[in-house]
């Protein structure tokens, strides 16, 4: 990803954080990275740890934002989420889920439980 794409991504991640905060989420981390990948936002919604992928599309030409979170991306996010939980002292009984914030011009949608944990 080039500098301009990273800058654009950062802008929309900030917007998504503000949106999540206004919906009662607590932001725990942004751009959590490890060897298996990156998670845009790690948040807490009540007692649930939420791993949030932010997707922006400026037109329908590239498809709808949520389509970009395909099986391969879900697997990468799941592995990174597991690493986050382990390194932060959570256990296998920790309540967590995967949300997507889909952004298009003039529209932002929060999709709770967008996908299940997957390793393949």
């Amino acid at each position: 990803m080039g500098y301009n794409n990273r800058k654009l991504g950062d802008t929309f991640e900030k917007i998504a954080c503000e949106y999540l905060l206004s919906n009662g989420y607590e932001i725990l981390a942004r751009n959590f990275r490890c060897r298996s990948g990156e998670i845009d936002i790690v948040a807490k919604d009540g007692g649930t740890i939420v791993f949030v992928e932010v997707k922006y599309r400026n037109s329908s030409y590239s498809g709808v934002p949520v389509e970009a979170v395909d099986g391969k991306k879900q697997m990468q996010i799941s592995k990174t989420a597991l690493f986050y939980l382990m390194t932060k002292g959570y256990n296998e009984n920790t309540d967590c889920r995967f949300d997507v914030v889909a952004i298009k011009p003039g529209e932002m949608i929060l999709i709770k439980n967008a996908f299940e944990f997957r390793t393949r």
Side-chain angles (χ1 to χ4, degrees), residues 29-117:
R30 284 192 56 212
N31 299 312
F32 176 79
R33 288 182 175 92
C34 68
R35 180 176 236 163
S36 60
E38 176 189 358
I39 296 176
D40 294 331
I41 302 168
V42 181
K44 201 168 190 180
D45 183 22
T48 303
I49 303 294
V50 185
F51 301 98
V52 183
E53 180 69 8
V54 178
K55 285 297 176 190
Y56 169 76
R57 294 291 182 263
N58 61 3
S59 72
S60 58
Y61 178 76
S62 302
V64 295
V66 75
E67 289 176 344
V69 188
D70 60 9
K72 183 178 178 182
K73 184 71 173 174
Q74 292 173 19
M75 214 167 48
Q76 178 248 328
I77 293 169
S78 294
K79 288 178 183 178
T80 306
L82 185 58
F83 184 80
Y84 177 89
L85 291 171
M86 289 181 350
T87 59
K88 300 300 180 184
Y90 295 101
N91 64 41
E92 66 274 0
N93 297 320
T94 301
D95 190 20
C96 65
R97 71 171 190 259
F98 300 91
D99 291 0
V100 172
V101 174
I103 304 172
K104 297 189 301 186
E107 182 179 21
M108 186 169 348
I109 300 170
L110 171 61
I111 304 163
K112 292 185 176 187
N113 275 324
F115 61 92
E116 297 292 318
F117 178 83

